[in-house]
Amino acid sequence: MEADEDDLPDIIDVVMEMGRVSQERSTEAPSPLPAVANPRLPAHLDALAGRARDYVEAASSANTRRAYASDWKQFASWCRRQGFSLLPPDPQTVGLYITALASGSALGTASGDKKSVSTIERRLSSLTWNYAQRGQPLDRKDRHIATVMAGIRNKHAAPPRQKEAVLPEDLIAMLETLDRGTLRGLRDRAMLLIGFAGGLRRSEVVGLDVSRDQTEDSSGWIEILDKGMLVRLRGKTGWREVEVGRGSSDASCPVVALQTWLKLARIAHGPLFRRVTGQGKKVGADRLNDQEVARLVKRTALAAGVRGDLPEGERGMMFAGHSLRAGLASSAEVDERYVQKQLGHASAEMTRKYQRRRDRFRVNLTKASGL
């Protein structure tokens, strides 16, 4: 189960295809962007090659790279157990792998967990990406993959389970569960309000800096103005600008909440939202993980009794970071195009998926047709 060393014909290939594998002696998972040591690369181009690697890594988020590395490792382990070669890519092997995922036998036991269709599609995309980085493209249209995947979708696909939208009255109740007398409470208050008013993803919330070009892992920065705050974000398709206006009162104003947090936490440079330690009295230097946003939304929603009509176990599964984005989309009574722009969606159809409690029958084609 060995992979042959890639033959890089010239310096351009070395620089442009830094993700290729130099040599694998087993199917143990290599890094998703393995280092390339090639004697044909002149020493004076080492720095340029290093910069090329930086750009390759910048093409995807750290979370995406971690997920792709994990998927590749699991696939490599499965191939080793079945006696299959990892390289070159074999559509029939991949077809068997996704079948194992769908049937719950990918772990080598009949009782293995069956993966959802969305998870299998993510794994397939991950394998495609990893093979491409190694200069050996995987043909997803091959019948061994495409036909099997179509059958998996037809047999196992289920309607998407959407997270519950946090509406304005819910958010106000959630804010009341936070301690205004602690730095942690002030930080969490600002995170909830900015996440909701900006319609931000959880990674966008924690990725913000105080100002431009302050940290390498930043997803954007803020600028506080008289009428509100501008949030500049770097997304998959480039930069976008989000306007967060001031609230009708200081208690519900995201700008006031952020200013209060920055002032009392004494943050003037670097990440906006950081860990609070020392019994809530000390602010660290490190940026929060985006999972903290999901935990915050879930914890405060449960504490505030949001959707208290449902059983406790079911309620716990209904709230996450996306609840804030869905809440803005569901409650902002403005032209849909403004909501679409705020959320950074390419289509109105995607925006409508976030409108959990919109009036679905505002346009009644049955009556309009004369019935």
Side-chain angles (χ1 to χ4, degrees), residues 232-363:
R232 292 179 172 86
L233 297 166
R234 178 177 57 227
K236 296 180 180 179
T237 59
W239 288 92
R240 66 187 179 95
E241 191 176 88
V242 174
E243 298 177 3
V244 178
R246 293 184 180 271
S248 55
S249 69
D250 287 352
S252 61
C253 178
V255 181
V256 171
L258 180 62
Q259 288 177 312
T260 302
W261 157 247
L262 291 178
K263 179 180 179 180
L264 296 183
R266 298 180 180 179
I267 297 176
H269 184 277
L272 277 186
F273 298 115
R274 313 172 183 193
R275 298 197 176 279
V276 177
T277 59
Q279 297 181 339
K281 298 180 180 180
K282 183 179 180 181
V283 179
D286 295 334
R287 187 184 308 281
L288 280 181
N289 185 282
D290 63 349
Q291 288 290 341
E292 293 296 331
V293 179
R295 297 188 187 104
L296 172 62
V297 172
K298 180 177 180 178
R299 183 176 68 250
T300 54
L302 294 178
V306 181
R307 291 307 307 270
D309 56 309
L310 299 175
E312 189 72 18
E314 186 175 342
R315 291 177 61 219
M317 300 292 293
M318 298 185 68
F319 299 100
H322 261 63
S323 296
L324 299 177
R325 281 167 64 81
L328 178 70
S330 302
S331 58
E333 297 183 359
V334 296
D335 191 301
E336 192 176 72
R337 60 185 175 179
Y338 295 114
V339 179
Q340 178 182 340
K341 179 178 182 296
Q342 189 83 342
L343 299 184
H345 289 154
S347 67
E349 182 61 30
M350 177 59 71
T351 301
R352 294 188 189 105
K353 292 180 180 179
Y354 280 73
Q355 296 171 331
R356 303 287 196 265
R357 304 183 193 177
R358 64 186 174 89
D359 184 0
R360 295 181 178 275
F361 299 98
R362 182 172 58 85
V363 177

Side-chain angles (χ1 to χ4, degrees), residues 18-280:
M18 297 304 296
R20 287 187 175 183
V21 176
S22 59
Q23 188 173 23
E24 291 181 41
R25 292 301 180 188
S26 70
T27 56
E28 289 298 329
S31 164
L33 291 174
V36 175
N38 193 296
R40 300 181 189 179
L41 184 63
H44 71 279
L45 288 181
D46 284 346
L48 186 62
R51 181 62 60 86
R53 279 187 54 80
D54 292 340
Y55 287 139
V56 169
E57 292 184 355
S60 57
S61 69
N63 286 342
T64 298
R65 293 195 300 274
R66 281 193 293 268
Y68 281 2
S70 176
D71 292 344
W72 180 257
K73 182 177 181 180
Q74 292 179 30
F75 175 62
S77 178
W78 182 84
C79 285
R80 184 177 64 252
R81 292 196 305 270
Q82 310 307 321
F84 293 146
S85 295
L86 184 60
L87 293 172
D90 180 7
Q92 188 170 6
T93 297
V94 175
L96 291 174
Y97 176 64
I98 61 177
T99 300
L101 293 175
S103 62
S105 59
L107 297 179
T109 63
S111 60
D113 292 333
K114 296 180 180 180
K115 302 302 180 183
S116 66
V117 174
S118 60
T119 297
I120 296 173
E121 289 178 331
R122 204 286 306 281
R123 295 275 183 95
L124 186 54
S125 296
S126 177
L127 296 183
T128 303
W129 184 89
N130 274 284
Y131 274 123
Q133 297 306 306
R134 289 159 176 79
Q136 300 190 39
L138 173 66
D139 182 10
R140 289 183 59 169
K141 295 182 179 180
D142 184 279
R143 63 185 180 87
H144 292 99
I145 299 176
T147 305
V148 171
M149 195 65 231
I152 291 173
R153 292 191 189 99
N154 288 339
K155 188 170 183 178
H156 299 295
R161 298 180 61 181
Q162 296 180 320
K163 296 300 181 181
E164 183 74 6
V166 168
L167 300 181
E169 58 270 23
D170 301 327
L171 184 61
I172 296 300
M174 291 161 61
L175 294 174
E176 291 301 317
T177 68
L178 300 173
D179 188 351
R180 300 191 185 198
T182 66
L183 287 173
R184 183 177 287 108
L186 294 175
R187 179 202 66 190
D188 291 349
R189 187 180 189 85
M191 289 171 61
L192 287 175
L193 284 168
I194 289 176
F196 180 91
L200 304 182
R201 300 173 177 86
R202 66 190 190 192
S203 60
E204 293 172 340
V205 173
V206 300
L208 292 173
D209 281 354
V210 177
S211 297
R212 181 174 185 171
D213 297 333
Q214 292 188 333
T215 62
E216 292 184 357
D217 62 342
S218 169
S219 66
W221 70 94
I222 64 165
E223 180 182 359
I224 298 178
L225 306 172
D226 291 339
K227 294 184 178 181
M229 175 174 62
L230 289 181
V231 181
R232 292 179 172 86
L233 297 166
R234 178 177 57 227
K236 296 180 180 179
T237 59
W239 288 92
R240 66 187 179 95
E241 191 176 88
V242 174
E243 298 177 3
V244 178
R246 293 184 180 271
S248 55
S249 69
D250 287 352
S252 61
C253 178
V255 181
V256 171
L258 180 62
Q259 288 177 312
T260 302
W261 157 247
L262 291 178
K263 179 180 179 180
L264 296 183
R266 298 180 180 179
I267 297 176
H269 184 277
L272 277 186
F273 298 115
R274 313 172 183 193
R275 298 197 176 279
V276 177
T277 59
Q279 297 181 339

